[in-house]
Each structure stands twice: as structure tokens, then as C-alpha cells.
Amino acid sequence: MRKTGLFGGTFDPIHYGHLLAAEAAREAAKLEEVWFIPTFAPPHKANPGADAETRRRMLEIALEETPGFRVEDLELRRQGVSYTIDTVNALLERYPDRSFYWIVGSDMVKDLPNWRDSERLAELVTFIGLDRPDDPFGEAELPMYVRRKLLRASMPPMGLSSTDIRRRVKDGRSIRFMTPDPVCDWIRRNGLYGS
Ligand code: ATP
């Protein structure tokens, strides 16, 4: 089986916290590839700052020169609310030769039991959880069916968030070294986030 990481998010915009998390997951589980899956409409979040096409474009720009990392845009093509269980079922059907690892930051790890069909999802994938600074996850809080399928990966703590980047752009502050240069340029050239 080809071990493949799936990393879902709004990526509004992608930043180095995401890239480092994906790399830490890749290393920890010896993944062959990591596919970044921009959500069309996440079940848990209201309208993101940039539209779906813009978020996908920024991901593509960021991943252009990162072997083993790529964008998988099936949730954008499917539209509607993006449920992970639907995404995983579709990918398993399309790629029977792959085993899937679902990558999540600690804020999302805590929420896993609330995801649609989470018990079934835990049968289909292994979760890889990464701690975000100031927001670690405690395994004791999680139900056994999640704990059994959860691998913890570590990364140098990165206190970066897309919310902070959007706010900085709006305030005319620098976001250099928070996301790859071509993404910074693209945000500025397209006047995104009120830049
Ligand atoms: P926002 O600030 O808009 O909520 P975000 O920075 O949390 O965005 P998302 O696109 O919502 O980014 O996150 C996608 C996934 O990446 C989630 O599982 C999230 O936990 C994880 N993640 C985001 N930032 C980090 C980080 N700095 N370190 C580790 N994981 C992260």
C-alpha cells in the first residue's frame, strides 16, 4: 500500500505552519506523498476570507516546488459542505492501492469525535495529530476508537495562523517568512485580504 497523507484545511492562506506540519507527518509515518485538500465549505467555519479558487491557487503556488506534496481539489469540485468521510470514501474508491493518513492540528484533534461518521472514519484512516503552541491535545480526552488510530507527530512549535496573516495584511504589516515568497507576492498583487 502506498502511504498517503491527506491534509484538509481552508488554507486561507496556506502558511509555513501547514507546510511544517505536513512535513512532520510525512516523516513520522513515512508517507510517500501528502495531498493538501482545500475545503469548499468546512462544516465548522463560516465564510473564509478568500474564495475557493483563490485558496486553491495559493496552495498550488506554495506547493509548486515541493516534491511529494500536491493539491487534491476534489472537495472544491464536489462543492457543498465538505465532510471528511465523503472525501475519504471517494479517494479510497479511486485509489485502491493507497492507505490514507488524515493529518490534523491539535485544535482539530479535539474535535474529531464530533465529525460526521467519526467512528467509521477512524476505521478507514489513521489520524496524525500535531500540537499547535498553546493548544496541545490530551489523549485522555479522546474516545478509545480515536486513540487507537491516532499517531502523534512532533514539530517545532509554530505559532502561525491564517487568521493572523489575514489580519497582518489588512493592517499593512509584513507576512514575509510566514508563507512562501511567491504566496506573499500573489496576495499583494491581487489585493487580497484588503492589502
Ligand atoms: P484560521 O486561522 O483561518 O482558522 P488555520 O491557520 O488554523 O486557519 P486551517 O486551514 O484552518 O489553518 O488549518 C488546516 C489544518 O492545519 C488544521 O488541521 C490545523 O489544525 C492545522 N494547522 C494550522 N496551523 C498550524 C500550525 N501553526 N501548527 C500545526 N498545525 C496547524
Side-chain angles (χ1 to χ4, degrees), residues 137-159:
F137 63 91
E139 268 153 64
E141 303 155 27
L142 297 166
M144 190 46 87
Y145 72 87
V146 172
R147 272 152 76 180
R148 273 194 302 112
K149 294 300 292 289
L150 179 65
L151 214 151
R152 195 175 201 132
S154 60
M155 62 186 261
M158 277 272 221

Side-chain angles (χ1 to χ4, degrees), residues 10-14 38-40 48-62 71 76 166 182-183 186-193:
T10 37
F11 302 114
D12 189 16
I14 173 131
T39 50
F40 183 71
D51 62 35
E53 189 48 43
T54 301
R55 292 181 287 114
R56 187 177 65 84
R57 187 74 200 112
M58 289 188 285
L59 263 178
E60 267 170 2
I61 292 169
V71 185
L76 301 189
R166 293 194 300 273
V183 177
W186 201 89
I187 289 172
R188 210 181 33 243
R189 265 190 284 111
N190 290 277
L192 211 57
Y193 309 127

Side-chain angles (χ1 to χ4, degrees), residues 24-141:
R26 189 192 63 75
E27 186 178 39
K30 298 189 170 57
L31 305 174
E32 182 186 310
E33 290 181 356
V34 177
W35 299 349
F36 288 65
I37 304 181
T39 50
F40 183 71
H44 61 284
K45 271 192 191 178
N47 63 320
D51 62 35
E53 189 48 43
T54 301
R55 292 181 287 114
R56 187 177 65 84
R57 187 74 200 112
M58 289 188 285
L59 263 178
E60 267 170 2
I61 292 169
L63 301 183
E64 226 155 42
E65 284 168 31
T66 51
F69 287 4
R70 72 163 178 86
V71 185
E72 167 53 70
D73 67 355
L74 83 168
E75 290 193 357
L76 301 189
R77 283 184 276 111
R78 192 169 70 220
Q79 306 204 340
V81 177
S82 309
Y83 290 106
T84 302
I85 188 75
D86 299 337
T87 301
V88 166
N89 275 324
L91 290 174
L92 281 169
E93 197 169 310
R94 202 183 320 155
Y95 301 100
D97 61 330
R98 291 186 184 263
S99 56
F100 291 111
Y101 292 71
W102 194 271
I103 302 166
V104 271
S106 41
D107 49 321
M108 291 285 111
V109 172
K110 294 175 194 168
D111 193 46
L112 283 175
N114 304 322
W115 290 15
R116 176 174 281 193
D117 288 344
S118 59
E119 291 196 45
R120 176 73 187 134
L121 183 63
E123 288 168 15
L124 300 178
V125 300
T126 301
F127 300 110
I128 304 180
L130 292 126
D131 277 327
R132 291 181 79 164
D134 310 321
D135 196 6
F137 63 91
E139 268 153 64
E141 303 155 27

